[in-house]
Every structure is written in structure tokens, then in C-alpha cells.
Amino acid sequence: MRDFDTICAIATPIGEGGIAIIRVSGENALEIVSKVFRAKSGTDIKNMKSYTMKYGHIYDGDDLIDEVIISYMKGPRSFTAEDVVEINCHGGVVSTNKVLESIIKAGARIAEPGEFTKRAFLNGRIDLSQAEAVMDLIRAKTDLSMKSALMQSSGYLSRHINKLREYMLNVMALVEFAVDFTEDDEEIDPSIPKNVEKSLKSGIEEMEVLLKGADAGKIIREGLSLAIVGKPNVGKSSLLNALLREKRAIVTDIAGTTRDIIEEYINLDGVPVKIIDTAGIRETEDVVEKIGVERSREKLEEADLILLVMDSSREISEDDKEIIEQVKGKKTVLILNKIDLEQKLDEKYIKDFENIIRISAKEEIGLDELKQNIKDLFFSGAIETESLIISNSRHKQALIRALENAEEALVRVQRNEYLDLISIYVMSSLKALNEITGNELEEDLVNKIFGDFCVGK
């Protein structure tokens, strides 16, 4: 375990509540807390046993601050693998901060963002992929994204990566043996290149399986961005309200009612979907509406999926044709709304769209078909367990580099090139795998990763 100073932070959200928790971690955690805590029983907490609790009060000098319960976890069997004391005090901005101030006066310092989890990583209790999963767990918006984070935090990804590392290490061992124990005038044992090829093929197959679900995993983790676009008064806001099952957006017969972007999340069978209701795209002289139209065009470029809404009860207009041109080449579902009314739209203008769903947002007809279509586009209709393993863009990029180097090594083995040259690509593949678990990572990147955490973690 590394030698660190003692840190402290509020581990629960700031605000009014029954209880707030202040976490203290480091070699002197118990000693620092003992300076401000007086047990009701009068006993000295320096002799406190691990995994026990004490009731008492926090003092700042002779001033009573709060009535609290403290718990003690002796390292390395704690979250940070250091001595940890958690103070359960009354919730509230003033009371919680007063307790924190007393701990700082006693000798602790405020933790940096993510420093508790960073210490758990640096002290070897968890690897980097497990550490990153802690923040994913906090930010999870659906049961499925939470399940993905839990799998990662429990070491599910780490076990897969360690298995891949074994394949690469096995190749390196075979190469080292061939280079070190083969005389200059001897031929390499023909079984060695065959075993190298076998290990590389096994590793490549495993990497391909993990990468297959990476895009779906990223969506499960970060959410799917879905922009509802179309000209004014085609039913975009009605569709948003129908999907949310609440009246989130104003719906009127007046064109141009929605002038700004409305963003809301829905749970689509475990997938967090951010639905963006945009202002109707059209030429306008209204200054405010014009700003809204420009923002709509920006969201159209950023979205993972575009829902282009057209009014099937009206003939196609120039505004419709312009928007059709704008969405060309983008992943789009064309929604023909108002099918409960007389149909007037000439479908020759929409024959190039692969995904067309007919709905009535007002009557909530066709919404289930729309949801299934979205799942079909991104998850082939079903979400496999493999999709939950690689959900982090950093992990995906590292795994792609590992695969590319492993494939290059395999090609060179099959060409009967020198094994010691092939080992360069195997080492590069191994290095990329090590970046996922943190076995090999630059300090600046580690600091950046934990800098995105909240202070109390």
C-alpha cells in the first residue's frame, strides 16, 4: 500500500436530509477523528475495533457541533485499502460543513475529485476498469446501464482482459523460448510457430466477440441521442409527449410554438434514450424562432438517430423537401404522423427511406412499432450480455489497437517471418490490453480519468 496523507470529503449529496456521511481515509484517519469526536461511553476511539461503530458528538474545541455515529474500517479491508472512518452526521448544508471543517482543522485535507477511488486503484484493491465503473454506477440512468456498471465493477471485464493477456503472454513465452534455446544452425521447432498461431487466433476471436457489442455497450452506458425534426406543426411535440407519457411540450395548432430545444430521457427496455424535441425547421423572419431553427440543425448533426416527422394528412411542401435533403446519409426513421386523418402525402417523395413508421401521436398509434424499430437499428432487436462488457470508449479504442496488432502478428507468423520481429506486435497488443486495466498507463491519463469523478468518490 502506498504512503498517502489523510483526506476527507462529504460523500453524500449536499442538501437537506436525515443523514450525511463524511469519509476520512488515510494512515491517521482514526487519530484525526479522535481529536474532534467524544464517545458517549467516554472510551478512546484509538482502540476501536475494525467494522464497529461508536455513538457520540463532534466538537470544535469546546463548541458542540453535532451528534454523530462513526464507523471504522481498518485497511486494507476498506474501500481505499487504507484506514477509513465514516462520520454519520445530520444532513443539511451548515451542519455537514461544520463537521467537515472540524476534521480539516484536526489535520486532514479536502480530497480531490475521485481521490478515494483513485487510492483504491493505486493501492491495488481494484483495477482501472473497475474504478471507472464506480462513476458509471453513480451516473446510471436505467437498470440495464446499472447492470453493465455492476458487472464491470465486480471485475467481469477484467477477467476477460486477463484471459486475453494470457494468450499474448503465452505467445511471448513461446517466442522467448525459441529465441533463447535455438542455436544459430538449428531450425526452430515447427510446433512453436503452430502454437503461436493457435494462441493468436484464440485471442483474436475473443477480442472480436468483445468488440462486436462495444457500440451497443456505449449506448447502454452513455444513452442514445435521438432528435425529433421536421417542419413546424407536424406533431413533433405531440410525439415527444406520447413517448414521455406526459405533457412536457406545448402543443397547439399554431406553427412555430416550439422555439427552443427540449431534452428528456426515456427508458427504452433498459436503454437510456435522450429525446430532443427541436424547433420546426423552416425559413422565418422571427429572430427568436430563427435561433431555434439553427439549434435544430445543430442537433440534427449531433444525434445518433433522427426521427423525421412528416404530416401525412398534408401534401409535401418545400420545407419537407429541404429537410429530406438535410438528413440524407444519416441514420433516420421517417415518421408519417396523423394517420388517423385523411392521407394526402404523395409517397413518391419518400421512397428512398428504408425505415418508415406510420403513427398517430395524438391517438398513440404505432409507438410500440417505433420503439421496436429503434431497438432493431441499434441492437438487432435484442441486447446481448456481450453488449454490457465493453461500454467505455477508452476501453474500445484500446481493444481495437490490441486486435490490430494481434492480427498483424498472426499474418506475419503465417508468412513464416522471424518470431523475434513478430514479438514487437504481440508486445504492442499486450500494452493496449494493459491500458484497460491500468497495468500500464501514463499518470496524466490516470489523473484525467479520476478528475471527472465527484469529490466524495
Side-chain angles (χ1 to χ4, degrees), residues 18-36:
I19 295 172
I21 297 174
I22 294 170
R23 179 179 285 168
V24 187
S25 179
E27 184 181 356
N28 299 317
L30 203 58
E31 182 181 344
I32 287 171
V33 174
S34 71
K35 293 178 183 178
V36 297

Side-chain angles (χ1 to χ4, degrees), residues 234-260:
V234 293
K236 299 186 300 298
S237 296
S238 295
L239 176 59
L240 173 71
N241 290 342
L243 290 171
L244 294 175
R245 295 192 177 279
E246 63 175 275
K247 293 182 179 179
R248 175 65 178 83
I250 298 170
V251 177
T252 72
D253 293 329
I254 304 169
T257 306
T258 303
R259 296 186 168 206
D260 204 351

Side-chain angles (χ1 to χ4, degrees), residues 220-234:
I220 291 168
R221 177 180 183 258
E222 299 177 6
L224 179 67
S225 176
L226 188 156
I228 304 175
V229 301
K231 70 180 183 183
N233 216 27
V234 293

Side-chain angles (χ1 to χ4, degrees), residues 53-259:
M53 305 179 81
K54 290 280 185 183
Y55 164 70
H57 297 84
I58 295 289
Y59 283 84
D60 183 0
D62 293 326
D63 295 332
L64 175 64
I65 301 298
D66 200 4
E67 179 184 25
V68 302
I69 293 175
I70 66 168
S71 56
Y72 174 52
M73 290 146 281
K74 185 174 179 57
R77 299 182 66 184
S78 70
F79 178 71
T80 59
E82 303 171 334
D83 289 354
V84 172
V85 178
E86 290 188 348
I87 303 168
N88 292 257
C89 60
H90 288 97
V93 177
V94 176
S95 59
T96 308
N97 278 310
K98 290 288 285 183
V99 174
L100 181 66
E101 285 172 16
S102 68
I103 298 297
I104 294 169
K105 286 180 183 178
R109 69 164 173 84
I110 285 286
E112 297 173 358
E115 191 169 1
F116 291 100
T117 310
K118 183 179 179 181
R119 289 190 176 197
F121 163 63
L122 294 175
N123 289 327
R125 196 187 75 79
I126 57 177
D127 66 31
L128 192 59
S129 68
Q130 290 174 291
E132 289 170 292
V134 172
M135 188 49 65
D136 290 347
L137 194 57
I138 293 169
R139 292 174 176 168
K141 295 178 177 66
T142 67
D143 290 344
L144 198 58
S145 53
M146 186 182 78
K147 182 181 177 181
S148 174
L150 279 171
M151 287 171 65
Q152 191 170 312
S153 67
S154 65
Y156 196 74
L157 171 60
S158 307
R159 288 191 289 274
H160 279 270
I161 298 303
N162 287 333
K163 187 177 179 181
L164 292 172
R165 290 179 71 249
E166 284 179 20
Y167 289 127
M168 298 303 117
L169 288 169
N170 184 49
V171 170
M172 290 304 300
L174 289 167
V175 170
E176 290 294 327
F177 178 83
V179 172
D180 292 343
F181 295 97
T182 302
E183 299 294 335
D184 292 339
D185 58 346
E186 287 184 35
E187 287 190 7
I188 292 175
D189 182 343
S191 67
I192 291 177
K194 287 182 180 178
N195 287 329
V196 167
E197 183 178 352
K198 182 180 177 182
S199 286
L200 285 171
K201 282 183 175 178
S202 297
I204 288 169
E205 286 174 8
E206 294 262 355
M207 291 180 203
E208 287 175 340
V209 169
L210 288 179
L211 281 170
K212 186 179 178 182
D215 289 337
K218 181 176 179 289
I219 291 170
I220 291 168
R221 177 180 183 258
E222 299 177 6
L224 179 67
S225 176
L226 188 156
I228 304 175
V229 301
K231 70 180 183 183
N233 216 27
V234 293
K236 299 186 300 298
S237 296
S238 295
L239 176 59
L240 173 71
N241 290 342
L243 290 171
L244 294 175
R245 295 192 177 279
E246 63 175 275
K247 293 182 179 179
R248 175 65 178 83
I250 298 170
V251 177
T252 72
D253 293 329
I254 304 169
T257 306
T258 303
R259 296 186 168 206

